[in-house]
Amino acid sequence: MRGRVRTVAGVLIVLVLLFPLYWMLNASLQPSGALLRPTPEFLPLPATLDGYREALATQGGHLLSSLVVAGGTVLVSLLIATPAAYSLARLPWRGGPVFVFALLIVQMIPGIVMANSLYALFGSLGLIDNYLGLVLADSTATVPFAILVLRAFMVAIPRELSEAARVDGAGYWRTFTSVIVPVSRNAVITAGLFSFLFAWADFLFAVTLTTGQGIEPVTVGIYRFVGNQTADWNGVMATAVLASVPAAILLVVAQRYVVAGMTGGAVKE
């Protein structure tokens, strides 16, 4: 029964993702004038690649910048969240429930408040127009979420596994690296994927912490591209398709891990 639910959930995730992606792809292959017709064409005939040529010429560097920022965010988030979640789930210490509640409260802070505060701080540290600044800014949102996801999964891991490792002489750190992390693979992949997707799609931190004179993630690049190319809609849609492809590929490939990671801590055997 659980396997069937996971399969259905995975199929729904893929369909929800691919439906808008198809219409973006359809619009990106049509000439600009065709998009102004009152009835849309289901098939892009005749097709043109002019929009992709322009998008690659103008947005290629922005795509690379987003890959660097998203990859760095995943690395920072997992390095911090995985041991933190293990501590909250397995190690008895006072204040653990209060800390978990604080993580939930952090999720309620409006992004614009965080962005304004980080702009003032990063400006004094020289982290404006800097990859490290964008990675740290995105991590302020992804680390709490990743901790909550990983903790929920690790709480459901049978304690007999940890106790068996301790009997064999493993300490807390060896138990964490050799037992807990491998067993929590689905949750780790889920947390990493959501961290990547957030950093890849982030606009607020990106537009606040960049000036347009240095690095520029693809979300900001699309924003400015739309402003300069309002008549070239196939180029705009081609840029949107290129920006969606990495996230779509990751989600399709990892969807079974995501479903297992999100539901793994929901039911105790």
Side-chain angles (χ1 to χ4, degrees), residues 75-139:
L75 182 62
V76 171
S77 299
L78 293 183
L79 286 177
I80 297 175
T82 309
Y86 171 66
S87 174
L88 291 170
R90 292 297 182 180
L91 305 183
W93 55 284
R94 292 184 179 181
V98 176
F99 185 75
V100 173
F101 180 73
L103 291 176
L104 294 173
I105 296 298
V106 167
Q107 302 292 301
M108 301 171 60
I109 300 177
I112 189 62
V113 175
M114 297 288 294
N116 288 335
S117 302
L118 291 175
Y119 180 82
L121 176 62
F122 287 178
S124 61
L125 296 176
L127 294 179
I128 302 297
D129 282 328
N130 187 284
Y131 284 116
L132 179 60
L134 291 175
V135 168
L136 293 178
D138 289 334
S139 297

Side-chain angles (χ1 to χ4, degrees), residues 146-236:
I147 291 176
L148 294 174
V149 170
L150 291 168
R151 176 188 173 275
F153 191 93
M154 292 178 182
V155 165
I157 297 175
R159 289 191 175 273
E160 289 77 7
L161 293 176
S162 301
E163 293 172 357
R166 298 300 302 277
V167 169
D168 290 338
Y172 286 117
W173 181 253
R174 181 65 182 276
T175 302
F176 167 68
T177 57
S178 300
V179 178
I180 301 299
V181 171
V183 172
S184 305
R185 180 189 63 176
N186 291 336
V188 171
I189 293 176
T190 300
L193 180 61
F194 276 95
S195 298
F196 182 92
L197 293 177
F198 176 86
W200 181 263
D202 171 62
F203 175 77
L204 183 59
F205 290 138
V207 76
T208 303
L209 300 176
T210 60
T211 62
Q213 299 177 355
I215 64 172
E216 196 170 80
V218 69
T219 50
V220 180
I222 293 176
Y223 168 71
R224 290 174 179 158
F225 185 73
V226 170
N228 296 328
Q229 307 286 339
T230 53
D232 187 14
W233 285 109
N234 68 326
V236 172

